[in-house]
C-alpha cells in the first residue's frame, strides 16, 4: 500500500533547533529498504499559495489553506505492506517526537 | 455490508433465535434420523466452536468481512435444514467449514475475483475434512509461513482490537465479529439505534480495508505494546455486562473470549490474570442484587450464592502467576473478598497492600480512592480519610459520587453520623444510576435513624 505521510509540527515549534534530531539516518534507511519512494522538507507555510476557482474566477491567497496551530513541514511517500509497517516507519521518524505524523493511505488500495 | 440476520451461535437458544425453523413435515417425509430439536442443538454445539473459526479463516483468505460472516451464517442455516434429515455429520465443524467455503467460492467466482483467493479457498476444502483445529495450521502453510502456526481467531481478535480503530468501534466489532452478538443487542448496549450501529460497524470494516490495518498478530515489541489494548477491549466488554443496566450476556462473552485468548497465548500471564479477575467479579453475579433489583454492597450479599466453582478456578489461575500486573493485583484483591468467610473476616491488610502496589504501577484517581477505602478498613477510618484527602487534592475526584460515598462511609465509622448522613445524601445527588442513588439514600436514612 502507498501512504502519504504528512510531517506536521506546531506553527511555533517548541523544540530546540540546535537539538533537532538528524533526519538523514531515517531517510537513508528507508530509501535503502525501498519503503520511502519520495519525500521532501517543505518551505515555510508563509511561502504557500492557496489556489481556488470560484464562478470561473481565479482566487489566490498567500499562506496555507487552513489556519491551524499545525503546519505541514514535509512529506514522505511510503510503500508498505500495511498500516502496522507504516506505523513502525513513522515512529522512527525524528518528527514523531518533535511534532506529529499523519499516515494517509492512497484511496485505491495498492495491494 | 449485508444486514446479516443476527445470530449468536455461542449463546443459549442460538438455533431458536436464528429465525430458522425446521419444517416437521419435510423432516418426516425424508425419513428422519434425528429430531429437529436434536439437530438444532447439534448445530448450536458445532457453531459455538466453528463459527468464529470459519469467519476468521474466510476473512484471512478473502479479506472480505461481510462475505465471511454471510457465508458462515448460511452454513448454519443449511445445517439446520439438512441435519434433521441427513443426520449430524461425523465432523460438524468441518461440514460447516466446507459449506461456508463453497458459498464463498461461488460468490467470488460470480464476482470473477482473482485466482489467488480461489486457490487459497481450495486449501480450506482439503483441510475441512480434518477436525477444525487443523484448518488454521494448513491455511498458514498456504501463506508460506510453515512452522509458525497462528490461529485465525487470534488474528481476528487483534484486528478487531487494533489501536487505529476508535475504542467504541473495537468493542462493537469484537462483539459482532468474534462473539456473533446480533447488531440489535450491541446497539442497545451502546444506546444507539440498530441502523446507527450497523453503519458504525460498516465504517469500522471499511476503515480496516482503507487504512490498511493488517490481519495479523503482531510480534515482538509490537505484541507487547498491543496486547494491553486487546485486554482493555475485553475489560470494557466485561464491565458493560457487569454494571447496572448493562447487557448481562456481555460479561459471559468477555469471559469466553478471555478463555480463548488464554488458550491461544498461554505464555502471557496478563491474559490469565484478566480471566481470573473476570471469574471472581462474575462469581458474585447471582448475589449482587436484592429483591428490588438494587445493587447490594459486598457485606450484605449472601456469600453462599457466590459461584464457588468460578472462585476456585480463579484462585488456581492466580497461584500460577509469578509477576503481578494491574489485572493480577485487581484479581488478588477480588480474591481476598471472595475467600473471606464473612465481610467482617475480610483480610483488609492484604487488600491494602495490593492497592499500594496497584497505585504504584497505575496511579489513577479511582485506584487511589479504593486504596484510601482499603486503608480505612485495614488501619482505621482516620488513616483512610487522610489518604482520601490527599487523593482529592487538585479536584481530581470532584463530582465523583463514589469519592463522596467513601468519605461518608469513613466518617460514619468514625462516629459522626450526622455528617456522614449529609455526605451520603450529597453522594446520592451525584449518583449516575437510579439503583445507586437509592442505595446511597438508604445509607443516609439508616444513619439518621441511629442519630
Amino acid at each position: 500500500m502507498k501512504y502519504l505521510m504528512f510531517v506536521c509540527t506546531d506553527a511555533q515549534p517548541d523544540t530546540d533547533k540546535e537539538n533537532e534530531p538528524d533526519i538523514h539516518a531515517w531517510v537513508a534507511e528507508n530509501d535503502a529498504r525501498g519503503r520511502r519512494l519520495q519525500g521532501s522538507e517543505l518551505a515555510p507555510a508563509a511561502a504557500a499559495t492557496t489556489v481556488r476557482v470560484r464562478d470561473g474566477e481565479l482566487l489566490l491567497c498567500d499562506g496555507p489553506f487552513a489556519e491551524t496551530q499545525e503546519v505541514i513541514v514535509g512529506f514522505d511517500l511510503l510503500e508498505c505492506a500495511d498500516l502496522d509497517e507504516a506505523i513502525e516507519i513513522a515512529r522512527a521518524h525524528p518528527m514523531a517526537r518533535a511534532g506529529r505524523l499523519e499516515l494517509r493511505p492512497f484511496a485505491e488500495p495498492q495491494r | 455490508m449485508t444486514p446479516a440476520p443476527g445470530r449468536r451461535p455461542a449463546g443459549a437458544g442460538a438455533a431458536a433465535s436464528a429465525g430458522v425453523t425446521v419444517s416437521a413435515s419435510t423432516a418426516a417425509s425424508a425419513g428422519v434420523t434425528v429430531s429437529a430439536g436434536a439437530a438444532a442443538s447439534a448445530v448450536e454445539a458445532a457453531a459455538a466452536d466453528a463459527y468464529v473459526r470459519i469467519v476468521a479463516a474466510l476473512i484471512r483468505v478473502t479479506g472480505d468481512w461481510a462475505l465471511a460472516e454471510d457465508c458462515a451464517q448460511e452454513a448454519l442455516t443449511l445445517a439446520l435444514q439438512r441435519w434433521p434429515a441427513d443426520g449430524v455429520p461425523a465432523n460438524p465443524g468441518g461440514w460447516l467449514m466446507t459449506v461456508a467455503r463453497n458459498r464463498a467460492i461461488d460468490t467470488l467466482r460470480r464476482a470473477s475475483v482473482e485466482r489467488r483467493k480461489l486457490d487459497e479457498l481450495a486449501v480450506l476444502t482439503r483441510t475441512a475434512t480434518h477436525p477444525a483445529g487443523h484448518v488454521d495450521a494448513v491455511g498458514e502453510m498456504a501463506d508460506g509461513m510453515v512452522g509458525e502456526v497462528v490461529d485465525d481467531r487470534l488474528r481476528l481478535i487483534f484486528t478487531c482490537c487494533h489501536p487505529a480503530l476508535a475504542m467504541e468501534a473495537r468493542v462493537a466489532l469484537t462483539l459482532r465479529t468474534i462473539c456473533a452478538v446480533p447488531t440489535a443487542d450491541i446497539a442497545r448496549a451502546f444506546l444507539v439505534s440498530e441502523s446507527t450501529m450497523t453503519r458504525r460497524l460498516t465504517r469500522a470494516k471499511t476503515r480496516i480495508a482503507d487504512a490498511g490495518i493488517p490481519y495479523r498478530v503482531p510480534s515482538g515489541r509490537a505484541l507487547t505494546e498491543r496486547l494491553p489494548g486487546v485486554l482493555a477491549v475485553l475489560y470494557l466488554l466485561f464491565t458493560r455486562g457487569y454494571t447496572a443496566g448493562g447487557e448481562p450476556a456481555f460479561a459471559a462473552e468477555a469471559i469466553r473470549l478471555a478463555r480463548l485468548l488464554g488458550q491461544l497465548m498461554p505464555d502471557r500471564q496478563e491474559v490469565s490474570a484478566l480471566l481470573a479477575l473476570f471469574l471472581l467479579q462474575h462469581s458474585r453475579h447471582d448475589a449482587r442484587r436484592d429483591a428490588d433489583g438494587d445493587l447490594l454492597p459486598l457485606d450484605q450479599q449472601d456469600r453462599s450464592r457466590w459461584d464457588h466453582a468460578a472462585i476456585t478456578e480463579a484462585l488456581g489461575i492466580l497461584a500460577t502467576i509469578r509477576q503481578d500486573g494491574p489485572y493480577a493485583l485487581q484479581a488478588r484483591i477480588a480474591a481476598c473478598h471472595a475467600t473471606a468467610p464473612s465481610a467482617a473476616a475480610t483480610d483488609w491488610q492484604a487488600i491494602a497492600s495490593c492497592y499500594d502496589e496497584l497505585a504504584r504501577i497505575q496511579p489513577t484517581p479511582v485506584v487511589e480512592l479504593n486504596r484510601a477505602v482499603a486503608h480505612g478498613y485495614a488501619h482505621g477510618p482516620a488513616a483512610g480519610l487522610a489518604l482520601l484527602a490527599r487523593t482529592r487534592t487538585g479536584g481530581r475526584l470532584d463530582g465523583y459520587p463514589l469519592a463522596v460515598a467513601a468519605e461518608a462511609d469513613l466518617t460514619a465509622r468514625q462516629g459522626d453520623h450526622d455528617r456522614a448522613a449529609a455526605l451520603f445524601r450529597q453522594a446520592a445527588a451525584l449518583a449516575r444510576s437510579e439503583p445507586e442513588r437509592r442505595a446511597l439514600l438508604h445509607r443516609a436514612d439508616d444513619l439518621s435513624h441511629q442519630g
Side-chain angles (χ1 to χ4, degrees), chain B residues 119-349:
Chain B
D119 288 347
E120 287 187 33
L121 281 170
V123 174
L124 289 180
T125 324
R126 290 203 300 277
T127 57
T129 51
H130 297 294
H134 292 193
V135 169
D136 311 308
V138 182
E140 197 62 50
M141 286 176 209
D143 277 351
M145 288 167 64
V146 184
E148 194 201 340
V149 177
V150 177
D151 193 298
D152 280 330
R153 293 169 299 177
L154 195 56
R155 259 191 266 264
L156 191 55
I157 293 171
F158 271 88
T159 304
C160 288
C161 299
H162 198 281
L165 295 168
M167 194 53 162
E168 291 236 314
R170 287 183 231 169
V171 175
L173 205 55
T174 301
L175 282 168
R176 182 71 199 100
T177 312
I178 305 171
C179 306
V181 173
T183 307
D185 290 0
I186 306 171
R188 232 187 344 270
F190 279 84
L191 307 174
V192 297
S193 72
E194 185 173 352
S195 61
T196 301
M197 183 49 71
T198 302
R199 274 198 305 278
R200 200 178 284 178
L201 286 165
T202 307
R203 219 168 26 238
K205 290 173 196 171
T206 308
R207 175 159 169 78
I208 287 172
D210 287 354
I213 292 174
Y215 194 58
R216 186 177 59 216
V217 179
S219 56
R221 173 177 66 173
L223 177 62
T224 305
E225 285 174 351
R226 293 264 304 279
L227 185 57
V230 172
L231 299 182
V233 169
L234 262 57
Y235 190 79
L236 208 67
L237 219 157
F238 180 83
T239 49
R240 282 229 179 237
Y242 195 67
T243 50
E247 285 279 326
F250 290 4
E253 292 294 352
I255 290 175
R256 208 171 62 81
L257 266 179
R259 247 185 233 292
L260 175 63
L261 198 58
Q263 285 160 16
L264 298 174
M265 311 180 83
D267 54 335
R268 292 286 171 162
Q269 295 209 330
E270 57 267 54
V271 179
S272 35
L274 185 64
L275 175 60
L277 176 60
F278 286 169
L279 288 169
L280 288 163
Q281 304 276 36
H282 203 54
S283 72
R284 298 196 287 269
H285 185 261
D286 291 341
R288 290 172 68 236
R289 288 173 195 279
D290 64 16
D292 300 328
D294 284 357
L295 287 172
L296 282 172
L298 270 181
D299 58 351
Q300 289 169 33
Q301 293 181 14
D302 176 359
R303 290 174 187 237
S304 69
R305 293 182 65 202
W306 290 356
D307 180 350
H308 292 278
I311 294 171
T312 306
E313 186 190 352
L315 295 177
I317 294 170
L318 280 179
T320 66
I321 292 177
R322 287 175 301 280
Q323 197 175 5
D324 285 355
Y327 294 124
L329 286 166
Q330 290 176 70
R332 287 194 198 285
I333 291 162
C336 286
H337 290 297
T339 53
S342 68
T346 304
D347 184 354
W348 284 104
Q349 306 270 352

Side-chain angles (χ1 to χ4, degrees), chain A residues 3 82-84 88 91 105 111, chain B residues 162 209 211-212 216 221 225:
Chain A
Y3 291 85
D82 52 47
L83 181 63
D84 279 1
E88 283 305 307
R91 79 185 296 164
R111 277 177 283 197
Chain B
H162 198 281
R216 186 177 59 216
R221 173 177 66 173
E225 285 174 351

Side-chain angles (χ1 to χ4, degrees), chain B residues 51-130:
Chain B
Y51 180 85
V52 64
R53 287 180 192 275
I54 294 171
V55 170
L58 290 183
I59 290 176
R60 173 171 52 76
V61 175
T62 67
D64 187 332
W65 291 58
L67 176 77
E69 288 174 36
D70 289 349
C71 292
Q73 296 199 340
E74 280 174 31
L76 294 184
T77 307
L78 195 66
L80 280 168
Q81 289 166 355
R82 289 273 183 81
W83 293 4
D86 302 348
V88 177
N91 174 8
W95 190 96
L96 290 167
M97 178 67 94
T98 305
V99 170
R101 190 259 326 155
N102 286 343
R103 290 291 159 106
I105 287 182
D106 287 350
T107 310
L108 292 178
R109 276 218 183 100
R110 276 199 301 275
S112 42
V113 81
E114 67 262 48
R115 190 72 232 163
R116 180 184 60 81
K117 285 181 182 175
L118 292 173
D119 288 347
E120 287 187 33
L121 281 170
V123 174
L124 289 180
T125 324
R126 290 203 300 277
T127 57
T129 51
H130 297 294

Side-chain angles (χ1 to χ4, degrees), chain A:
Chain A
M1 287 183 75
K2 285 191 173 61
Y3 291 85
L4 186 61
M5 184 171 80
F6 295 104
V7 182
C8 309
T9 183
D10 293 337
Q12 304 290 326
D14 56 358
T15 47
D16 184 358
K17 261 285 184 214
E18 306 256 312
N19 282 329
E20 236 166 50
D22 176 27
I23 197 153
H24 298 299
W26 182 89
V27 169
E29 188 199 339
N30 289 296
D31 280 358
R33 296 175 72 167
R35 305 191 300 195
R36 178 181 175 275
L37 306 178
Q38 164 72 275
S40 178
E41 193 177 344
L42 298 174
T49 304
T50 300
V51 179
R52 283 174 298 165
V53 175
R54 295 290 182 271
D55 298 326
E57 190 187 354
L58 174 67
L59 302 169
L60 299 180
C61 292
D62 82 348
F65 59 85
E67 288 287 340
T68 62
Q69 292 296 351
E70 289 174 34
V71 288
I72 299 169
V73 294
F75 75 94
D76 293 279
L77 178 57
L78 306 177
E79 173 72 59
C80 309
D82 52 47
L83 181 63
D84 279 1
E85 195 187 335
I87 291 171
E88 283 305 307
I89 297 170
R91 79 185 296 164
H93 193 286
M95 287 303 285
R97 286 181 292 279
R100 329 130 245 251
L101 304 167
E102 177 178 325
L103 292 167
R104 190 74 80 84
F106 279 28
E108 305 257 358
Q110 312 272 308
R111 277 177 283 197

